[in-house]
Amino acid sequence: MAFINHTSLLSPTPKLLFSLTSPNPSPLIKPFLTHKRSLSLHTKYGATTPSVVEEEEEGNNVLLSSTREEERRESRILVDYDWTEEWYPLYLTKDVPDDAPLGLTVYHKQLVLYRDGSGELRCYEDRCPHRLAKLSEGQLIDGRLECLYHGWQFEGEGQCVKIPQLPANAKIPKAACLKPYEIRDSQGVIWVWMSQKTPPNLNKIPWFENFARPGFTDISTIHELPYDHSILLENLMDPAHVPISHDRTDWTAKREDAQPLSFEVTERTDRGFAGWWGRARDNSSPNFLRFEAPCVLQNNREIVDEKTGVTNYFTGLFLCRPSGQGKSMLIVRFGNTRGSPLIKLFPKWYFHQNACKVFEQDMGFLSSQNEILMKEKVPTKELYLNLKSSDTWVVEYRKWMDKVGHGMPYHFGHGTIWLPQEPAVVEHAPAGLVAGISASSPAKGGIGTMHAPNFSNRYFRHVIHCKGCRTVVKAFEAWKKGLSAVAVALTALAILVSGRQWKTILLVSAALCSGGAYACSKAIAMNTTNFIRTHRRL
């Protein structure tokens, strides 16, 4: 994922890799875990407690590792945590549809979100009490949420107000009601409180100071992604991958800029961590990163204008919602108080599609990473070779998971693991000749299938969630049809007229209309197809 850039990865050379595989490994230890599930669950899933690599060997000083005592102490640290007693980012407020219910998930909990007749947002469990049909498959009738199975209608705090099958003198049963969820609109994002037992804690709703500053503007997008939210967060807090994975995606990511990074952790709390980072060779760390429970990551930077002395603020904000095992939904918000004049030359949908391309560049290896974690069934410390010069935030995040994972439906920690009960649904970006042809056409996921659901396709990952991009696609489709029709008509007229001058004018006009239709097709393709990574450089 594109960061606030100027970042890179220290790529191990073969010589370095040789030094990491020393013939004199440190002793393996198995620290006692006081995690209330650790011992039984590790046995159940065949996982073992991770071994500890001690920094006793000269060649291992590039690795992030712990001493034996640190590992033993860290494995005992647990804090109170209940995943339901948190606010989760559901959707961008501006993109909530006015005319249809919206089905969303948080972990395994299915929710339905909609605007009622007065424009107020409502959120319920996505289940009709009659026969358990999904209400998100229903419709809105006069501001009421109607189940399309038998037409039961709901409103307000979830009360049922209409059952077509009831006799005229019968009363609606009291049990025919929905479970409501508390939601709040804060700084353009809809947040949901997942507990139905504990009253919502309004103090836990995140507040982002930069977004409240005068003159602060942002470009916000939303994306569905085919890997776990913890994999997504790990990727987003990894600036080292940007020059390699996103080389030339924009003017800041260049693979020749891959280099060692420096990190300084300044805060560790029960709810996350924070610190500074930058390029090691610059001997400075101008970027400030903060992770806060349950799934909020922000990367901030301040730049003082030398001429005016005015401080300009820049933020990359990532709100990562767990939407099921092997799936996540991300709200991305890049903003600043000093926008570039060049940005105004491009429409917003162009930046949205560039963001889609960035996520598609990461998609294949991140979903495969998710798959490997599920198969190996061991904590990340046994699988990752973490470098001090690139992976500090990743290790901090996984160690935080060790402390709070007992309060989640599942987790992949640094030294502990609790696997989900159901396996991940792994999706990969398409590859090969047929996929390439399909993705290069306006068809959404396949040749000749304009609206076939295909969740490896950009249209279904972003456009259906974005009002602006949906409007753009419809407009380009209308222009394409209109220009194509005009081009055909002008060509026909050119054939019929006898004057050479008129033939030329009509044919040139037809060519211009055809060119416009082609441009519209390309714009539609940007919004409805996938980027295909070229894996080999020729």
Side-chain angles (χ1 to χ4, degrees), residues 321-496:
R321 171 165 50 86
S323 56
Q325 168 53 19
K327 299 179 181 178
S328 55
M329 179 167 273
L330 171 65
I331 295 174
V332 185
R333 309 189 74 182
F334 280 106
N336 58 72
T337 54
R338 188 189 68 182
S340 170
L342 292 175
I343 291 179
K344 298 179 181 179
L345 300 178
F346 296 90
K348 281 190 175 181
W349 66 265
Y350 174 83
F351 293 104
H352 288 205
Q353 299 317 309
N354 193 63
C356 288
K357 180 179 179 180
V358 169
F359 288 113
E360 288 159 2
Q361 288 172 333
D362 288 341
M363 193 180 301
F365 54 77
L366 292 184
S367 54
S368 66
Q369 180 183 354
N370 200 145
E371 186 177 17
I372 291 171
L373 284 174
M374 289 292 294
K375 286 181 178 179
E376 295 290 339
K377 302 176 183 177
V378 294
T380 60
K381 194 177 193 310
E382 287 203 7
L383 299 172
Y384 292 2
L385 195 65
N386 291 312
L387 300 181
K388 292 180 180 179
S389 51
S390 63
D391 304 316
T392 296
W393 302 138
V394 172
V395 173
E396 288 292 326
Y397 174 58
R398 293 300 178 182
K399 286 184 176 181
W400 176 80
M401 294 285 273
D402 286 340
K403 293 195 295 184
V404 304
H406 62 89
M408 298 179 176
Y410 59 86
H411 79 279
F412 302 100
H414 182 69
T416 60
I417 185 172
W418 166 235
L419 293 180
Q421 299 300 306
E422 297 185 7
V425 177
V426 180
E427 301 174 33
H428 294 281
L433 178 61
V434 174
I437 295 173
S438 299
S440 66
S441 69
K444 297 175 177 63
I447 299 173
T449 54
M450 189 62 181
H451 297 288
N454 180 344
F455 293 101
S456 65
N457 185 275
R458 183 178 296 180
Y459 182 85
F460 291 94
R461 291 202 185 283
H462 169 70
V463 175
I464 61 171
H465 299 294
C466 178
K467 280 185 178 180
C469 289
R470 286 201 309 275
T471 301
V472 165
V473 170
K474 290 179 181 178
F476 278 125
E477 286 176 342
W479 275 101
K480 176 187 172 183
K481 292 177 181 177
L483 289 170
S484 298
V486 172
V488 171
L490 291 174
T491 302
L493 283 174
I495 294 172
L496 294 175

Side-chain angles (χ1 to χ4, degrees), residues 81-91 103-113 123-126 181-183 190-195 228-229 294-295 320-325 327-329 409-410:
Y81 189 82
D82 183 342
W83 75 272
T84 65
E85 296 180 5
E86 299 286 352
W87 292 94
Y88 292 84
L90 271 185
Y91 226 63
L104 302 167
T105 57
V106 179
Y107 283 114
H108 54 284
K109 296 292 186 180
Q110 296 180 331
L111 312 177
V112 58
L113 178 70
C123 185
Y124 311 127
E125 183 179 26
D126 194 5
Y181 283 88
E182 292 282 348
I183 55 175
I190 305 300
W191 299 83
V192 61
W193 178 259
M194 288 306 297
S195 177
D228 188 72
H229 81 289
C295 50
C320 312
R321 171 165 50 86
S323 56
Q325 168 53 19
K327 299 179 181 178
S328 55
M329 179 167 273
Y410 59 86

